[in-house]
């Protein structure tokens, strides 16, 4: 658990198993679940079958059934599903070159590849982008 300057919980990580490799500054995990609050107050939850975190670079790599859920400060939920995800934790930037599905309310976008800034809420979908947008929302 990691707390902010005013005592609020900013980061919590749980896993079935974690190993720390001191010489490589590497943490490997099985079934990690990560709760995180970004600079805009959005609450993020990440799940995967496994992951690796490099403490020197701040890079987190999650693989196998990766799910990222973001709840905005307004209560809107966005879910991203993919097979692997690279997270630059220092810059709140995520990327993958695999198939990705993004759902918000009843709208869905699918693509091969994704780059996104979590703080700016900007997403770039690389190729084969298709989607369903529900106008009722």
């Amino acid at each position: 658990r990691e707390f902010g300057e005013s005592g609020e919980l900013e980061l919590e990580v749980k896993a079935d198993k974690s190993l720390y490799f001191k010489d490589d500054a590497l943490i490997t995990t099985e079934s990690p679940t990560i709760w995180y609050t970004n600079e805009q107050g959005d609450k993020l939850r990440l799940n995967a079958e496994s992951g690796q975190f490099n403490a020197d670079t701040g890079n987190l790599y999650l693989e196998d059934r990766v799910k990222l859920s973001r709840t905005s400060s307004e209560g809107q939920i966005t879910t991203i599903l993919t097979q692997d995800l690279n997270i630059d934790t220092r810059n709140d930037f995520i990327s993958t070159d695999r198939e990705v599905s993004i759902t918000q309310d009843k709208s869905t976008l699918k693509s091969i590849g994704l780059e996104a800034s979590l703080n700016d809420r900007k997403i770039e979908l690389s190729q084969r982008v298709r989607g369903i947008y529900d106008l009722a929302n």
Side-chain angles (χ1 to χ4, degrees):
R1 292 185 180 162
E2 190 174 293
F3 297 88
E5 292 178 10
S6 59
E8 71 280 356
L9 182 64
E10 289 184 347
L11 174 69
E12 184 174 7
V13 179
K14 291 185 179 183
D16 288 348
K17 182 179 179 181
S18 292
L19 298 172
Y20 177 62
F21 300 91
K22 182 179 177 183
D23 292 341
D24 298 322
L26 182 70
I27 300 170
T28 63
T29 64
E30 291 178 13
S31 300
T33 300
I34 302 162
W35 293 271
Y36 169 70
T37 303
N38 72 1
E39 295 172 2
Q40 281 64 41
D42 297 337
K43 298 190 183 313
L44 294 105
R45 179 180 173 158
L46 296 139
N47 299 83
E49 292 296 314
S50 64
Q52 296 181 357
F53 178 71
N54 185 304
D56 287 341
T57 64
N59 288 328
L60 173 63
Y61 175 71
L62 298 175
E63 60 186 336
D64 297 325
R65 292 189 283 197
V66 179
K67 179 178 180 180
L68 182 152
S69 296
R70 185 192 80 206
T71 305
S72 71
S73 53
E74 297 85 27
Q76 190 171 43
I77 298 171
T78 303
T79 302
I80 297 173
L81 302 172
T82 189
Q83 280 301 305
D84 63 38
L85 192 65
N86 293 297
I87 300 124
D88 176 349
T89 63
R90 294 185 179 155
N91 297 305
D92 284 335
F93 188 83
I94 63 173
S95 63
T96 185
D97 59 1
R98 305 284 296 271
E99 184 174 327
V100 65
S101 174
I102 303 167
T103 304
Q104 187 173 30
D105 296 320
K106 294 180 183 176
S107 301
T108 301
L109 283 174
K110 293 187 178 193
S111 172
I112 304 294
L114 162 112
E115 291 186 351
S117 171
L118 297 174
N119 287 332
D120 298 339
R121 296 182 184 164
K122 293 182 181 177
I123 295 176
E124 180 179 321
L125 301 173
S126 304
Q127 53 185 311
R128 289 195 239 165
V129 180
R130 57 195 186 283
I132 299 170
Y133 184 75
D134 186 358
L135 293 174
N137 290 326

